[in-house]
């Protein structure tokens, strides 16, 4: 699941939104498209739906501009093609 908030908005209701299987980006097995609306940032964290969370040690993953990103081993990478 991906648990997120856009800009200064509210967080999704925990555990968040179930992600989709992904085979289009090598090394990334899950994906989700966040609708930013008019905003340009999002804070995200992940979980398995059963209480196991990856929130980058409670600091969350902060995406500072629209784009295509992969997050792996607590590192955010641009996947723009």
């Amino acid at each position: 699941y991906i648990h997120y908030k856009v800009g200064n908005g509210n967080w999704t209701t925990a555990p968040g939104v179930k992600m989709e299987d992904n085979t289009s980006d090598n090394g990334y097995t899950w994906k989700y498209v966040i609708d930013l609306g008019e905003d340009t940032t999002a804070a995200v964290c992940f979980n398995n739906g059963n209480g196991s969370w990856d929130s980058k040690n409670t600091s969350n993953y902060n995406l500072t501009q629209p784009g295509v990103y992969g997050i792996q081993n607590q590192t955010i990478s641009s996947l723009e093609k």
Side-chain angles (χ1 to χ4, degrees):
Y1 290 80
I2 184 169
H3 181 54
Y4 67 92
K5 72 174 184 166
V6 173
N8 291 322
N10 295 321
W11 284 91
T12 56
T13 302
V17 182
K18 188 168 179 137
M19 297 175 68
E20 303 171 15
D21 290 336
N22 179 44
T23 58
S24 61
D25 297 299
N26 190 25
Y28 298 95
T29 55
W30 303 98
K31 70 177 180 179
Y32 185 77
V33 176
I34 297 173
D35 181 355
L36 295 176
E38 297 294 319
D39 216 313
T40 59
T41 65
V44 304
C45 57
F46 306 95
N47 68 86
N48 67 355
N50 285 321
S52 181
W53 288 80
D54 174 7
S55 61
K56 196 174 183 185
N57 298 319
T58 70
S59 66
N60 302 314
Y61 296 95
N62 294 297
L63 307 174
T64 58
Q65 61 185 351
V68 179
Y69 296 97
I71 300 173
Q72 191 172 60
N73 299 323
Q74 295 192 344
T75 301
I76 301 170
S77 301
S78 174
L79 299 180
E80 295 288 345
K81 296 178 181 177

